[in-house]
Structures are given as structure tokens and as C-alpha cells.
Amino acid sequence: MTDTTALFEKYKITRDVELRNELVLIYMHVVKYAAVSLRNAYSKYGDHDDIVNEGVIALIGAVETFDMERGVKFETYASLKIKGAVIDYVRKQDWIPRQVRKFGRELDDAYNSLYNDLGRSPTNNEIADFMGLTREKLAKSMADAACSMTLSFEELLYEDNFSNMTNRGLLGNEADRGVYEKELKRVIAEAIDSLKPKEKQVISLHYYEKLKLREIAAVLGVTESRVCQIHSKSMLHLKRKLEEYIKM
């Protein structure tokens, strides 16, 4: 992999646009990787060129905000930024009902506000009080949001196609692949490890055992609605953890 440390150091001092563009060209493979790895998510809502354009804009932003002193890999930082931009773009094209989308934003804001105040993941009761909802209304809305959305934050987190990307020449050489696998898996593992036991179980069954939410409900002996609630809460927590990682 190209040693770009000197380029980043020089750009941090000079903010020279030509240096920034040089870094963008060096890391274009990260955009290509994101565009291919998320193709199933955006195929109905935009073409490849649209996604690449969104990815390039996000990559430019990642170069501008990257801080080497934090000790994180630029490829991982940029990858999360780019995928987040793609997901946001697709969500704007999606069919998700306005009320569900609105609740999702409000829930996200409430979770983050409480997390900042409490220094931990808030309980459902604390979220309900903050949002001025009954416990029953919050539970139903969380279940509706989790079970209705065709695209959610999991697209950013769970991929098992590193080998396919490398074999098809879309992720660069073996060193590039190693950066993605080692760093991203570490970040995700730490985020999952911070979940509560029941949340870990739902995440494991859904994303690693490939069980559907209704099948998980049968395994756990609870309703599908309850599994949806747990899934929704888990996604809020994982999103928060990854945002803490990439926030500069």
C-alpha cells in the first residue's frame, strides 16, 4: 500500500487542493469497494455512477477531516464515511413512510442525547420519558421501524465479501484487504461486545446465523415484535459506537 503519511502531513499544514486530489486518487479503490459491496442496497434507487459520485464527495470529506493523531486507519475511517453517505443517499430515494422515517430520526436524536447525558446506553423507559411516549407506544414504534425499513445501518456493519472483492480486483492487493479485515472487524467486534446479552444474541442469530426475525422470535420464545425492538435498540447502540470511532 502506498505510504501516504507524508502527503497527509503536508496537506494538514498547507490544505493544498492538489495534494487533496492526489490523496483522493490514491484511495479511489475505497469508493469502488463501497459501490460494489452495497450494490444490492442501491440497485433499485440509483445507478453505479450516482453512487460513485456520492462516494467521491464523501472521500474528499474524509481526507479533509482525517486526523492521523487518533491512530486509526484512513481506509477504515474513509470506508465508514463513504458507506454512510451512500446509505443516506439511498434512504432519500427509499419508500419508507414519512412517519417511520421521522420517528427514526427522533429516536436517534433521543438516544444520542441520553447517551451523552448518562454516559451509557439509555433504557427503553428513559427513552420513552425523553420522547414523551408511553412504553407501549415506544415499543410499537421501534418494532415498526425495525421491521419496515428495507435499508438500515446494518448495511454499514456486516459484510462477508472481502474475499470476493479482492478476487475481482476491487479491493486492491492483499495488504489493502488486510487493512479492511483487521481494522473493521476489530471495530465491529468491540461495538458488538458492548451490547447487552440479549442484544448480542439477536445480532448473532440474525447476521451470523442468518435467521429471520420471526425465526429468532421462535428460538427465544418471544414475539417477533419484541425481537424487532431488540434489533432496533441494538442498531442504535452500534451506530453510536461506530460514530464515536470515526468522529474527529
Side-chain angles (χ1 to χ4, degrees), residues 11-38:
Y11 177 66
K12 185 176 181 180
I13 296 172
T14 66
R15 290 296 169 178
D16 187 297
V17 174
E18 290 187 4
L19 282 176
R20 184 199 68 188
N21 292 343
E22 184 176 351
L23 286 164
V24 168
L25 288 174
I26 290 172
Y27 289 104
M28 272 300 296
H29 67 277
V30 184
V31 175
K32 294 177 182 177
Y33 169 69
V36 175
S37 65
L38 293 173

PDB file of all heavy atoms in Angstrom, residues 11-38:
ATOM      1  N   TYR A  11      -0.615  17.955   3.653  1.00  0.00           N
ATOM      2  CA  TYR A  11      -1.938  18.527   3.387  1.00  0.00           C
ATOM      3  C   TYR A  11      -2.524  19.175   4.643  1.00  0.00           C
ATOM      4  O   TYR A  11      -3.179  20.221   4.562  1.00  0.00           O
ATOM      5  CB  TYR A  11      -2.893  17.446   2.881  1.00  0.00           C
ATOM      6  CG  TYR A  11      -4.293  17.982   2.661  1.00  0.00           C
ATOM      7  CD1 TYR A  11      -4.551  18.927   1.675  1.00  0.00           C
ATOM      8  CD2 TYR A  11      -5.352  17.575   3.473  1.00  0.00           C
ATOM      9  CE1 TYR A  11      -5.820  19.458   1.487  1.00  0.00           C
ATOM     10  CE2 TYR A  11      -6.619  18.090   3.288  1.00  0.00           C
ATOM     11  CZ  TYR A  11      -6.855  19.034   2.306  1.00  0.00           C
ATOM     12  OH  TYR A  11      -8.115  19.558   2.132  1.00  0.00           O
ATOM     13  N   LYS A  12      -2.268  18.573   5.800  1.00  0.00           N
ATOM     14  CA  LYS A  12      -2.782  19.138   7.041  1.00  0.00           C
ATOM     15  C   LYS A  12      -2.245  20.545   7.272  1.00  0.00           C
ATOM     16  O   LYS A  12      -2.923  21.411   7.819  1.00  0.00           O
ATOM     17  CB  LYS A  12      -2.390  18.230   8.208  1.00  0.00           C
ATOM     18  CG  LYS A  12      -2.977  18.657   9.542  1.00  0.00           C
ATOM     19  CD  LYS A  12      -2.629  17.654  10.632  1.00  0.00           C
ATOM     20  CE  LYS A  12      -3.241  18.073  11.965  1.00  0.00           C
ATOM     21  NZ  LYS A  12      -2.927  17.107  13.051  1.00  0.00           N
ATOM     22  N   ILE A  13      -0.999  20.781   6.818  1.00  0.00           N
ATOM     23  CA  ILE A  13      -0.372  22.093   7.001  1.00  0.00           C
ATOM     24  C   ILE A  13      -0.779  23.074   5.903  1.00  0.00           C
ATOM     25  O   ILE A  13      -1.132  24.226   6.183  1.00  0.00           O
ATOM     26  CB  ILE A  13       1.170  21.946   7.017  1.00  0.00           C
ATOM     27  CG1 ILE A  13       1.597  21.110   8.226  1.00  0.00           C
ATOM     28  CG2 ILE A  13       1.841  23.322   7.039  1.00  0.00           C
ATOM     29  CD1 ILE A  13       3.068  20.741   8.223  1.00  0.00           C
ATOM     30  N   THR A  14      -0.750  22.612   4.662  1.00  0.00           N
ATOM     31  CA  THR A  14      -0.940  23.531   3.524  1.00  0.00           C
ATOM     32  C   THR A  14      -2.379  23.638   3.037  1.00  0.00           C
ATOM     33  O   THR A  14      -2.777  24.645   2.459  1.00  0.00           O
ATOM     34  CB  THR A  14      -0.083  23.069   2.337  1.00  0.00           C
ATOM     35  OG1 THR A  14      -0.568  21.795   1.862  1.00  0.00           O
ATOM     36  CG2 THR A  14       1.377  22.949   2.742  1.00  0.00           C
ATOM     37  N   ARG A  15      -3.163  22.570   3.232  1.00  0.00           N
ATOM     38  CA  ARG A  15      -4.531  22.498   2.697  1.00  0.00           C
ATOM     39  C   ARG A  15      -4.529  22.738   1.187  1.00  0.00           C
ATOM     40  O   ARG A  15      -5.462  23.355   0.632  1.00  0.00           O
ATOM     41  CB  ARG A  15      -5.457  23.504   3.391  1.00  0.00           C
ATOM     42  CG  ARG A  15      -5.750  23.148   4.820  1.00  0.00           C
ATOM     43  CD  ARG A  15      -6.506  21.842   4.922  1.00  0.00           C
ATOM     44  NE  ARG A  15      -6.594  21.343   6.291  1.00  0.00           N
ATOM     45  CZ  ARG A  15      -7.228  20.248   6.654  1.00  0.00           C
ATOM     46  NH1 ARG A  15      -7.827  19.502   5.741  1.00  0.00           N
ATOM     47  NH2 ARG A  15      -7.254  19.850   7.901  1.00  0.00           N
ATOM     48  N   ASP A  16      -3.485  22.252   0.545  1.00  0.00           N
ATOM     49  CA  ASP A  16      -3.345  22.398  -0.899  1.00  0.00           C
ATOM     50  C   ASP A  16      -4.329  21.470  -1.609  1.00  0.00           C
ATOM     51  O   ASP A  16      -4.332  20.255  -1.372  1.00  0.00           O
ATOM     52  CB  ASP A  16      -1.913  22.045  -1.305  1.00  0.00           C
ATOM     53  CG  ASP A  16      -1.632  22.320  -2.765  1.00  0.00           C
ATOM     54  OD1 ASP A  16      -2.273  21.677  -3.618  1.00  0.00           O
ATOM     55  OD2 ASP A  16      -0.759  23.161  -3.060  1.00  0.00           O
ATOM     56  N   VAL A  17      -5.156  22.042  -2.476  1.00  0.00           N
ATOM     57  CA  VAL A  17      -6.180  21.257  -3.162  1.00  0.00           C
ATOM     58  C   VAL A  17      -5.574  20.162  -4.029  1.00  0.00           C
ATOM     59  O   VAL A  17      -6.118  19.060  -4.149  1.00  0.00           O
ATOM     60  CB  VAL A  17      -7.084  22.178  -4.019  1.00  0.00           C
ATOM     61  CG1 VAL A  17      -8.060  21.347  -4.851  1.00  0.00           C
ATOM     62  CG2 VAL A  17      -7.851  23.146  -3.130  1.00  0.00           C
ATOM     63  N   GLU A  18      -4.431  20.440  -4.628  1.00  0.00           N
ATOM     64  CA  GLU A  18      -3.789  19.436  -5.467  1.00  0.00           C
ATOM     65  C   GLU A  18      -3.337  18.224  -4.646  1.00  0.00           C
ATOM     66  O   GLU A  18      -3.445  17.080  -5.097  1.00  0.00           O
ATOM     67  CB  GLU A  18      -2.598  20.054  -6.212  1.00  0.00           C
ATOM     68  CG  GLU A  18      -3.008  21.048  -7.297  1.00  0.00           C
ATOM     69  CD  GLU A  18      -1.823  21.508  -8.127  1.00  0.00           C
ATOM     70  OE1 GLU A  18      -0.703  21.000  -7.903  1.00  0.00           O
ATOM     71  OE2 GLU A  18      -2.025  22.382  -8.993  1.00  0.00           O
ATOM     72  N   LEU A  19      -2.853  18.479  -3.442  1.00  0.00           N
ATOM     73  CA  LEU A  19      -2.473  17.370  -2.557  1.00  0.00           C
ATOM     74  C   LEU A  19      -3.706  16.560  -2.158  1.00  0.00           C
ATOM     75  O   LEU A  19      -3.669  15.332  -2.128  1.00  0.00           O
ATOM     76  CB  LEU A  19      -1.786  17.907  -1.296  1.00  0.00           C
ATOM     77  CG  LEU A  19      -0.332  18.339  -1.424  1.00  0.00           C
ATOM     78  CD1 LEU A  19       0.152  18.934  -0.108  1.00  0.00           C
ATOM     79  CD2 LEU A  19       0.541  17.157  -1.821  1.00  0.00           C
ATOM     80  N   ARG A  20      -4.784  17.276  -1.859  1.00  0.00           N
ATOM     81  CA  ARG A  20      -6.026  16.579  -1.505  1.00  0.00           C
ATOM     82  C   ARG A  20      -6.497  15.704  -2.649  1.00  0.00           C
ATOM     83  O   ARG A  20      -6.880  14.547  -2.448  1.00  0.00           O
ATOM     84  CB  ARG A  20      -7.117  17.601  -1.169  1.00  0.00           C
ATOM     85  CG  ARG A  20      -8.425  16.978  -0.691  1.00  0.00           C
ATOM     86  CD  ARG A  20      -9.571  17.947  -0.822  1.00  0.00           C
ATOM     87  NE  ARG A  20      -9.874  18.206  -2.225  1.00  0.00           N
ATOM     88  CZ  ARG A  20     -10.736  19.128  -2.644  1.00  0.00           C
ATOM     89  NH1 ARG A  20     -11.338  19.914  -1.763  1.00  0.00           N
ATOM     90  NH2 ARG A  20     -10.975  19.294  -3.927  1.00  0.00           N
ATOM     91  N   ASN A  21      -6.462  16.235  -3.853  1.00  0.00           N
ATOM     92  CA  ASN A  21      -6.900  15.467  -5.014  1.00  0.00           C
ATOM     93  C   ASN A  21      -6.004  14.253  -5.255  1.00  0.00           C
ATOM     94  O   ASN A  21      -6.476  13.199  -5.697  1.00  0.00           O
ATOM     95  CB  ASN A  21      -6.930  16.361  -6.256  1.00  0.00           C
ATOM     96  CG  ASN A  21      -8.015  17.416  -6.173  1.00  0.00           C
ATOM     97  OD1 ASN A  21      -8.936  17.312  -5.360  1.00  0.00           O
ATOM     98  ND2 ASN A  21      -7.916  18.436  -7.004  1.00  0.00           N
ATOM     99  N   GLU A  22      -4.714  14.408  -4.962  1.00  0.00           N
ATOM    100  CA  GLU A  22      -3.792  13.277  -5.109  1.00  0.00           C
ATOM    101  C   GLU A  22      -4.155  12.162  -4.138  1.00  0.00           C
ATOM    102  O   GLU A  22      -4.161  10.975  -4.492  1.00  0.00           O
ATOM    103  CB  GLU A  22      -2.353  13.745  -4.866  1.00  0.00           C
ATOM    104  CG  GLU A  22      -1.316  12.645  -5.087  1.00  0.00           C
ATOM    105  CD  GLU A  22       0.120  13.142  -4.927  1.00  0.00           C
ATOM    106  OE1 GLU A  22       0.309  14.366  -4.822  1.00  0.00           O
ATOM    107  OE2 GLU A  22       1.024  12.286  -4.896  1.00  0.00           O
ATOM    108  N   LEU A  23      -4.504  12.543  -2.909  1.00  0.00           N
ATOM    109  CA  LEU A  23      -4.913  11.550  -1.916  1.00  0.00           C
ATOM    110  C   LEU A  23      -6.226  10.884  -2.316  1.00  0.00           C
ATOM    111  O   LEU A  23      -6.408   9.678  -2.139  1.00  0.00           O
ATOM    112  CB  LEU A  23      -5.052  12.212  -0.547  1.00  0.00           C
ATOM    113  CG  LEU A  23      -3.733  12.561   0.154  1.00  0.00           C
ATOM    114  CD1 LEU A  23      -3.964  13.545   1.286  1.00  0.00           C
ATOM    115  CD2 LEU A  23      -3.063  11.298   0.672  1.00  0.00           C
ATOM    116  N   VAL A  24      -7.131  11.666  -2.867  1.00  0.00           N
ATOM    117  CA  VAL A  24      -8.414  11.110  -3.324  1.00  0.00           C
ATOM    118  C   VAL A  24      -8.174  10.058  -4.403  1.00  0.00           C
ATOM    119  O   VAL A  24      -8.780   8.980  -4.390  1.00  0.00           O
ATOM    120  CB  VAL A  24      -9.336  12.223  -3.852  1.00  0.00           C
ATOM    121  CG1 VAL A  24     -10.534  11.634  -4.592  1.00  0.00           C
ATOM    122  CG2 VAL A  24      -9.821  13.094  -2.688  1.00  0.00           C
ATOM    123  N   LEU A  25      -7.293  10.348  -5.338  1.00  0.00           N
ATOM    124  CA  LEU A  25      -6.987   9.392  -6.410  1.00  0.00           C
ATOM    125  C   LEU A  25      -6.364   8.117  -5.844  1.00  0.00           C
ATOM    126  O   LEU A  25      -6.672   7.005  -6.295  1.00  0.00           O
ATOM    127  CB  LEU A  25      -6.053  10.029  -7.435  1.00  0.00           C
ATOM    128  CG  LEU A  25      -6.680  11.101  -8.341  1.00  0.00           C
ATOM    129  CD1 LEU A  25      -5.606  11.745  -9.211  1.00  0.00           C
ATOM    130  CD2 LEU A  25      -7.778  10.497  -9.213  1.00  0.00           C
ATOM    131  N   ILE A  26      -5.498   8.267  -4.868  1.00  0.00           N
ATOM    132  CA  ILE A  26      -4.840   7.101  -4.266  1.00  0.00           C
ATOM    133  C   ILE A  26      -5.862   6.173  -3.612  1.00  0.00           C
ATOM    134  O   ILE A  26      -5.742   4.946  -3.683  1.00  0.00           O
ATOM    135  CB  ILE A  26      -3.791   7.548  -3.231  1.00  0.00           C
ATOM    136  CG1 ILE A  26      -2.604   8.209  -3.943  1.00  0.00           C
ATOM    137  CG2 ILE A  26      -3.327   6.372  -2.371  1.00  0.00           C
ATOM    138  CD1 ILE A  26      -1.604   8.854  -2.992  1.00  0.00           C
ATOM    139  N   TYR A  27      -6.888   6.775  -3.002  1.00  0.00           N
ATOM    140  CA  TYR A  27      -7.857   5.975  -2.246  1.00  0.00           C
ATOM    141  C   TYR A  27      -9.179   5.757  -2.984  1.00  0.00           C
ATOM    142  O   TYR A  27     -10.174   5.381  -2.361  1.00  0.00           O
ATOM    143  CB  TYR A  27      -8.114   6.634  -0.887  1.00  0.00           C
ATOM    144  CG  TYR A  27      -6.938   6.507   0.048  1.00  0.00           C
ATOM    145  CD1 TYR A  27      -6.099   7.593   0.286  1.00  0.00           C
ATOM    146  CD2 TYR A  27      -6.649   5.296   0.671  1.00  0.00           C
ATOM    147  CE1 TYR A  27      -5.003   7.476   1.132  1.00  0.00           C
ATOM    148  CE2 TYR A  27      -5.567   5.172   1.520  1.00  0.00           C
ATOM    149  CZ  TYR A  27      -4.743   6.257   1.750  1.00  0.00           C
ATOM    150  OH  TYR A  27      -3.668   6.136   2.580  1.00  0.00           O
ATOM    151  N   MET A  28      -9.187   5.940  -4.281  1.00  0.00           N
ATOM    152  CA  MET A  28     -10.410   5.698  -5.050  1.00  0.00           C
ATOM    153  C   MET A  28     -10.877   4.248  -4.949  1.00  0.00           C
ATOM    154  O   MET A  28     -12.062   3.953  -5.117  1.00  0.00           O
ATOM    155  CB  MET A  28     -10.199   6.074  -6.513  1.00  0.00           C
ATOM    156  CG  MET A  28     -10.496   7.526  -6.832  1.00  0.00           C
ATOM    157  SD  MET A  28     -12.215   8.005  -6.478  1.00  0.00           S
ATOM    158  CE  MET A  28     -13.102   6.969  -7.658  1.00  0.00           C
ATOM    159  N   HIS A  29      -9.947   3.331  -4.668  1.00  0.00           N
ATOM    160  CA  HIS A  29     -10.359   1.928  -4.541  1.00  0.00           C
ATOM    161  C   HIS A  29     -11.347   1.740  -3.388  1.00  0.00           C
ATOM    162  O   HIS A  29     -12.163   0.816  -3.403  1.00  0.00           O
ATOM    163  CB  HIS A  29      -9.138   1.014  -4.347  1.00  0.00           C
ATOM    164  CG  HIS A  29      -8.418   1.215  -3.048  1.00  0.00           C
ATOM    165  ND1 HIS A  29      -7.485   2.205  -2.860  1.00  0.00           N
ATOM    166  CD2 HIS A  29      -8.493   0.546  -1.876  1.00  0.00           C
ATOM    167  CE1 HIS A  29      -7.008   2.131  -1.631  1.00  0.00           C
ATOM    168  NE2 HIS A  29      -7.616   1.135  -1.013  1.00  0.00           N
ATOM    169  N   VAL A  30     -11.299   2.631  -2.378  1.00  0.00           N
ATOM    170  CA  VAL A  30     -12.237   2.527  -1.264  1.00  0.00           C
ATOM    171  C   VAL A  30     -13.654   2.860  -1.742  1.00  0.00           C
ATOM    172  O   VAL A  30     -14.632   2.225  -1.332  1.00  0.00           O
ATOM    173  CB  VAL A  30     -11.822   3.461  -0.110  1.00  0.00           C
ATOM    174  CG1 VAL A  30     -12.756   3.273   1.080  1.00  0.00           C
ATOM    175  CG2 VAL A  30     -10.381   3.191   0.306  1.00  0.00           C
ATOM    176  N   VAL A  31     -13.761   3.841  -2.632  1.00  0.00           N
ATOM    177  CA  VAL A  31     -15.062   4.188  -3.215  1.00  0.00           C
ATOM    178  C   VAL A  31     -15.586   3.037  -4.061  1.00  0.00           C
ATOM    179  O   VAL A  31     -16.762   2.662  -3.972  1.00  0.00           O
ATOM    180  CB  VAL A  31     -14.948   5.472  -4.069  1.00  0.00           C
ATOM    181  CG1 VAL A  31     -16.273   5.758  -4.778  1.00  0.00           C
ATOM    182  CG2 VAL A  31     -14.546   6.657  -3.213  1.00  0.00           C
ATOM    183  N   LYS A  32     -14.717   2.470  -4.874  1.00  0.00           N
ATOM    184  CA  LYS A  32     -15.123   1.362  -5.741  1.00  0.00           C
ATOM    185  C   LYS A  32     -15.592   0.173  -4.910  1.00  0.00           C
ATOM    186  O   LYS A  32     -16.586  -0.486  -5.239  1.00  0.00           O
ATOM    187  CB  LYS A  32     -13.962   0.948  -6.642  1.00  0.00           C
ATOM    188  CG  LYS A  32     -13.563   2.014  -7.650  1.00  0.00           C
ATOM    189  CD  LYS A  32     -12.352   1.579  -8.457  1.00  0.00           C
ATOM    190  CE  LYS A  32     -11.913   2.659  -9.433  1.00  0.00           C
ATOM    191  NZ  LYS A  32     -10.682   2.261 -10.173  1.00  0.00           N
ATOM    192  N   TYR A  33     -14.881  -0.092  -3.833  1.00  0.00           N
ATOM    193  CA  TYR A  33     -15.257  -1.190  -2.945  1.00  0.00           C
ATOM    194  C   TYR A  33     -16.638  -0.970  -2.345  1.00  0.00           C
ATOM    195  O   TYR A  33     -17.486  -1.867  -2.320  1.00  0.00           O
ATOM    196  CB  TYR A  33     -14.211  -1.327  -1.848  1.00  0.00           C
ATOM    197  CG  TYR A  33     -14.621  -2.240  -0.725  1.00  0.00           C
ATOM    198  CD1 TYR A  33     -14.735  -3.603  -0.926  1.00  0.00           C
ATOM    199  CD2 TYR A  33     -14.897  -1.726   0.545  1.00  0.00           C
ATOM    200  CE1 TYR A  33     -15.119  -4.441   0.103  1.00  0.00           C
ATOM    201  CE2 TYR A  33     -15.282  -2.556   1.570  1.00  0.00           C
ATOM    202  CZ  TYR A  33     -15.387  -3.919   1.355  1.00  0.00           C
ATOM    203  OH  TYR A  33     -15.772  -4.726   2.372  1.00  0.00           O
ATOM    204  N   ALA A  34     -16.881   0.250  -1.858  1.00  0.00           N
ATOM    205  CA  ALA A  34     -18.179   0.556  -1.253  1.00  0.00           C
ATOM    206  C   ALA A  34     -19.299   0.449  -2.276  1.00  0.00           C
ATOM    207  O   ALA A  34     -20.377  -0.079  -1.980  1.00  0.00           O
ATOM    208  CB  ALA A  34     -18.155   1.966  -0.644  1.00  0.00           C
ATOM    209  N   ALA A  35     -19.046   0.944  -3.488  1.00  0.00           N
ATOM    210  CA  ALA A  35     -20.072   0.908  -4.535  1.00  0.00           C
ATOM    211  C   ALA A  35     -20.467  -0.525  -4.878  1.00  0.00           C
ATOM    212  O   ALA A  35     -21.638  -0.816  -5.119  1.00  0.00           O
ATOM    213  CB  ALA A  35     -19.571   1.641  -5.782  1.00  0.00           C
ATOM    214  N   VAL A  36     -19.491  -1.428  -4.890  1.00  0.00           N
ATOM    215  CA  VAL A  36     -19.787  -2.820  -5.229  1.00  0.00           C
ATOM    216  C   VAL A  36     -20.390  -3.561  -4.039  1.00  0.00           C
ATOM    217  O   VAL A  36     -21.365  -4.307  -4.181  1.00  0.00           O
ATOM    218  CB  VAL A  36     -18.515  -3.540  -5.718  1.00  0.00           C
ATOM    219  CG1 VAL A  36     -18.792  -5.028  -5.952  1.00  0.00           C
ATOM    220  CG2 VAL A  36     -18.028  -2.900  -7.019  1.00  0.00           C
ATOM    221  N   SER A  37     -19.844  -3.350  -2.857  1.00  0.00           N
ATOM    222  CA  SER A  37     -20.316  -4.093  -1.693  1.00  0.00           C
ATOM    223  C   SER A  37     -21.742  -3.715  -1.307  1.00  0.00           C
ATOM    224  O   SER A  37     -22.453  -4.511  -0.685  1.00  0.00           O
ATOM    225  CB  SER A  37     -19.381  -3.872  -0.503  1.00  0.00           C
ATOM    226  OG  SER A  37     -19.409  -2.525  -0.073  1.00  0.00           O
ATOM    227  N   LEU A  38     -22.194  -2.515  -1.691  1.00  0.00           N
ATOM    228  CA  LEU A  38     -23.555  -2.070  -1.369  1.00  0.00           C
ATOM    229  C   LEU A  38     -24.484  -2.119  -2.579  1.00  0.00           C
ATOM    230  O   LEU A  38     -25.578  -1.577  -2.530  1.00  0.00           O
ATOM    231  CB  LEU A  38     -23.513  -0.641  -0.814  1.00  0.00           C
ATOM    232  CG  LEU A  38     -22.835  -0.453   0.550  1.00  0.00           C
ATOM    233  CD1 LEU A  38     -22.727   1.019   0.885  1.00  0.00           C
ATOM    234  CD2 LEU A  38     -23.600  -1.187   1.632  1.00  0.00           C
TER     235      LEU A  38
END
